Amino acid sequence: MPGLVGVAAHGGAPASRGGGSEVGWLAVEEEPEVAEMLAREAPGSYAVPGIAGVRRWAGIRLDGVLAAVAADAWSAPSVGLLAGVATDARFRGRGLAARVCGWVTQHLLARHGRAALMVDGDNLAAITVYERLGYHPRPVAAAALT
């Protein structure tokens, strides 16, 4: 299992830019769509709708289809945690995950003053997106039960 990289951001993050649909917080009634997307596109996600600590989901729709999501999950008073990032495979390569993550990061920074996330150390595409949003790598240790 590859190591994990913890990342934290201080200050501003890019705003959601045009390009069609706007990013926003999803209603509780939309969470089954989030769960379906995560099962299909990110089955290893620790953040899923309905579990303790997952506060709310943000998403963006294209042509009425939920295209990308991210969660505010397990946040603490001094740091907000971004989790559960996924993009529908039909919409990848359009910068949608970056838009959703940037938008959620703005809200986490406004509420907590800091934002962080966990990402597998070998997920270079995701790390590149997060670094563009202002996150900086921090090493962490993790253990798994066998």
Side-chain angles (χ1 to χ4, degrees):
M1 174 181 201
L4 297 174
V5 176
V7 288
H10 302 276
S16 172
R17 294 181 180 83
S21 299
E22 293 301 314
V23 178
W25 294 117
L26 299 174
V28 172
E29 296 79 26
E30 296 172 284
E31 289 184 359
E33 286 180 273
V34 174
E36 288 172 18
M37 180 192 293
L38 291 169
R40 189 177 61 247
E41 308 296 348
S45 178
Y46 292 107
V48 293
I51 66 169
V54 178
R55 187 166 172 252
R56 56 189 175 170
W57 290 90
I60 187 168
R61 290 182 178 279
L62 294 180
D63 299 322
V65 177
L66 189 60
V69 297
D72 168 358
W74 308 292
S75 293
S78 63
V79 63
L81 190 64
L82 176 71
V85 177
T87 302
D88 186 305
R90 297 171 290 179
F91 302 109
R92 289 192 183 138
R94 300 183 190 189
L96 299 176
R99 285 180 56 198
V100 173
C101 290
W103 191 87
V104 172
T105 297
Q106 285 184 314
H107 285 269
L108 294 174
L109 291 171
R111 181 178 178 115
H112 304 279
R114 263 193 266 211
L117 57 87
M118 299 285 290
V119 61
D120 287 328
D122 61 355
N123 190 344
L124 300 181
I127 292 169
T128 298
V129 168
Y130 300 140
E131 286 180 337
R132 282 189 203 137
L133 293 174
Y135 287 86
H136 303 285
R138 302 283 189 263
V140 297
L145 295 176
T146 58

